[in-house]
Amino acid sequence: MPPARTALVLGAAGVAYRLAALLAGLPPTNSDEAVTGLVATHIVQGREFPLFFYGQHYMGALEAYLAAPLFAVAGPGVVALRLPNLALYALFLVLVWQLTRRLYHPWFATAVVGLLALGSDRILKNQLIAGGGYPEMNPAGALLVLLAVLLGLGVVRRRASAFAAFGLVAGLTLWDDWLVLPYVAAAGALLLAGAGRDLAGRGGAALAAGLAVGLLPIVAHNLTAAPEHRSLAAYRQLGGGTPGDWVERLHGGVLFGLPMGTGFCPPGRCAGWQLWWGVAAPLLLAVAGLLALRALWVLRPASLRRGVPRPASPRRDDGVHTERIRQGGRLALVGAAAVSLAAYAGSAAAGDTPVESSRYLSCLLVSLPALLWPLWAAAGDHLLPAAARLAARAGLAAVAGSAVLATGALVADADALTRADERRRDLVVALDRLGVRDFYADYWTCYPVVFATRERLACGVIRDDLRAGWDRYPAYPARVARADRVAYVSPTGTALSRAVADRLAATGIPVTRTTVPGYDIHLPAAPVGLPLR
């Protein structure tokens, strides 16, 4: 079977696996995704057309707009919310195969697609959950690099359209999520190096037009927002945390972050032996970069090799030019991955919350071909010693084996992971039985209930200190504050549950206490002054 057909079969298996997971309720939904669903609901209803995720001024609401047509047809729901993300994943596979076969080899491209067909808990969260930015970043990054390669190679028939598409996607990323900017920059540099002459004519005009359209949402926001809510200010505040010890950041951002973020670990944890990828991946990235630089050095113009300046010949050597673009594309993947990894490892999140913040390395999947190429090339290089070839093949087997085990761990934990959604459904049934329509709860409990009940129930966020928490959509806590009958919901055994129980006991007001699996419900007979002012 030829490589293209094999890749199609492997890619179809990856899509089918994710569709099955989606229909089974994996990964479990969360409040961030519920907020995206509420945005999509409001768009369909014509109530609001926000540019950003509710409650913040960064991360564009693109996923909500993609889901809105499905909501209009099938009604709001997690499946409809995630189906566009599944389509984006399928597009990512196509783009990566095309990019890898152009830069490397068709069979290597097929192997990369096979690896991307697998999916750990962290990978499926990034690719399916509509929590803002992650499902669309990888297709965007891969598309930009592919367009730069194709335009540089001169194999695009409608070049103006390709330039316009490049500008449009690059502009939209500035609205959607800035994590993909290293790939935008790398693709832009490659485009300038490979097709820079076209930018002085129709190509440049088309790119500028596409960029102008793509930038419309972010420009509109920055022209109308208060200074503290503009993009640079918002992202500056995100990076304003105090970085932890450099050893913690190096461990969380590289040693732990790489295997967790690229799909080599089971849900929420990495065993010690799985951290090998955190050591190997940076070394492979460095080797890949050196190989590309060495190839470009060999391919430098003859005038530079002799040190004698000569005017450029109007007729270029197509073979040399093609190889320069290929090596430049490889170097672009390496450079973008290196910048992404360095930026994450230097952040406070890498040391403080490596399990969840490892999602910031999601874009590294675009550079997976560059990471694995040194192993693939060495495994088949008969000029190398047999021991070196064997070691390379063992490395490839370890990569594939780690991804398979992590995928298997997700499947094995499926029942435990879906219990969260089951408990949430039981909570809604209990609230309905008690006649409760308005309640206070922690952030992670609030919004999935509001979205699942299509806003029939409303929730305000309350913190462990019993003060009002971060409400992304102020209309909900405002409604709860006006209600005559308000319940307090908290996960069983948490600090919030204990604090609410103690406060209610101190008031002397009669309280109906109900427990459902995973949650405590406190329903006082009269207002109790919570949240505290």
Side-chain angles (χ1 to χ4, degrees):
M1 191 159 49
R5 191 171 298 176
T6 305
L8 180 62
V9 171
L10 293 172
V15 172
Y17 164 54
R18 283 156 179 78
L19 178 61
L22 189 160
L23 296 176
L26 290 173
T29 191
N30 57 39
S31 268
D32 288 347
E33 183 172 45
V35 171
T36 302
L38 291 165
V39 174
T41 301
H42 297 168
I43 291 170
V44 172
Q45 295 170 347
R47 289 164 54 182
E48 296 192 45
F49 300 93
L51 289 176
F52 295 101
F53 206 64
Y54 281 152
Q56 61 194 45
H57 298 91
Y58 61 96
M59 284 172 42
L62 178 60
E63 290 167 23
Y65 284 94
L66 292 176
L70 291 177
F71 277 30
V73 173
V78 173
V79 172
L81 188 58
R82 291 181 177 182
L83 281 176
N85 297 339
L86 181 63
L88 287 170
Y89 163 75
L91 175 62
F92 175 56
L93 292 184
V94 173
L95 293 170
V96 167
W97 192 82
Q98 290 288 350
L99 178 61
T100 307
R101 81 177 184 89
R102 292 281 183 181
L103 296 182
Y104 301 96
H105 187 277
W107 276 115
F108 177 56
T110 301
V112 170
V113 169
L115 195 61
L116 292 173
L118 300 169
S120 69
D121 175 65
R122 179 72 268 161
I123 295 298
L124 262 62
K125 283 179 177 177
N126 293 343
Q127 292 173 344
L128 293 181
I129 291 180
Y134 297 97
E136 60 267 30
M137 281 193 297
N138 284 354
L143 177 60
L144 289 173
V145 178
L146 178 60
L147 284 173
V149 169
L150 295 178
L151 286 165
L153 292 174
V155 297
V156 180
R157 295 180 61 183
R158 298 184 177 180
R159 294 180 67 79
S161 298
F163 276 109
F166 188 100
L168 176 66
V169 174
L172 287 174
T173 60
L174 286 171
W175 165 52
D176 190 56
D177 198 312
W178 286 16
L179 284 176
V180 74
L181 286 188
Y183 287 86
V184 178
L190 181 62
L191 183 69
L192 186 63
R197 292 181 181 179
D198 292 341
L199 296 178
R202 290 181 58 195
L207 188 145
L211 186 63
V213 174
L215 288 174
L216 279 176
I218 195 71
V219 169
H221 167 72
N222 284 300
L223 288 177
T224 58
E228 65 272 18
H229 294 157
R230 292 171 186 166
S231 298
L232 287 175
Y235 278 98
R236 193 179 300 120
Q237 291 171 5
L238 287 178
T242 302
D245 181 80
W246 70 269
V247 174
E248 293 179 355
R249 285 183 282 124
L250 186 63
H251 180 275
V254 179
L255 190 63
F256 178 91
L258 276 168
M260 174 59 74
T262 54
F264 287 3
C265 294
R269 62 193 187 278
C270 274
W273 66 268
Q274 291 168 318
L275 302 183
W276 72 272
W277 183 240
V279 176
L283 294 176
L284 290 172
L285 199 63
V287 171
L290 290 173
L291 289 174
L293 286 171
R294 179 178 177 275
L296 287 171
W297 178 255
V298 171
L299 294 168
R300 70 193 187 280
S303 59
L304 294 180
R305 291 200 297 270
R306 291 196 298 268
V308 179
R310 292 171 52 187
S313 170
R315 197 170 73 83
R316 66 192 181 195
D317 184 329
D318 287 340
V320 172
H321 177 75
T322 296
E323 189 60 23
R324 285 178 186 152
I325 296 299
R326 292 179 68 237
Q327 297 299 334
R330 296 179 184 186
L331 191 60
L333 294 180
V334 171
V339 171
S340 298
L341 181 58
Y344 173 58
S347 69
D352 295 340
T353 57
V355 172
E356 281 304 314
S357 66
S358 63
R359 67 186 185 275
Y360 298 151
L361 295 177
S362 170
C363 284
L364 262 60
L365 292 186
V366 179
S367 294
L368 189 63
L371 276 166
L372 297 181
W373 177 248
L375 291 175
W376 183 276
D381 190 346
H382 294 287
L383 297 179
L384 291 176
R389 296 199 304 272
L390 183 61
R393 292 167 186 169
L396 289 172
V399 168
S402 296
V404 168
L405 288 175
T407 300
L410 172 61
V411 174
D413 288 353
D415 288 342
L417 293 172
T418 56
R419 287 192 197 117
D421 287 338
E422 294 172 1
R423 290 194 293 266
R424 196 176 294 117
R425 288 191 289 270
D426 292 342
L427 172 62
V428 171
V429 170
L431 292 173
D432 285 340
R433 187 172 62 249
L434 293 169
V436 172
R437 292 293 177 269
D438 305 280
F439 65 100
Y440 288 102
D442 65 291
Y443 173 77
W444 296 107
T445 299
C446 261
Y447 288 96
V449 172
V450 176
F451 178 57
T453 61
R454 302 190 179 186
E455 300 178 281
R456 179 170 54 81
L457 273 60
C459 177
V461 177
I462 187 170
R463 303 185 319 211
D464 290 352
D465 62 4
L466 301 184
R467 298 186 182 278
W470 186 20
D471 287 293
R472 288 189 176 274
Y473 195 64
Y476 298 144
R479 171 182 148 180
V480 177
R482 295 191 302 267
D484 295 327
R485 184 179 173 83
V486 176
Y488 296 85
V489 176
S490 52
T492 300
T494 60
L496 176 61
S497 183
R498 292 189 293 270
V500 168
D502 291 344
R503 174 72 180 185
L504 294 180
T507 65
I509 294 174
V511 177
T512 300
R513 293 180 174 84
T514 303
T515 299
V516 295
Y519 295 98
D520 296 327
I521 304 172
H522 304 267
L523 182 59
V528 293
L530 292 179
L532 300 175
R533 303 295 180 186

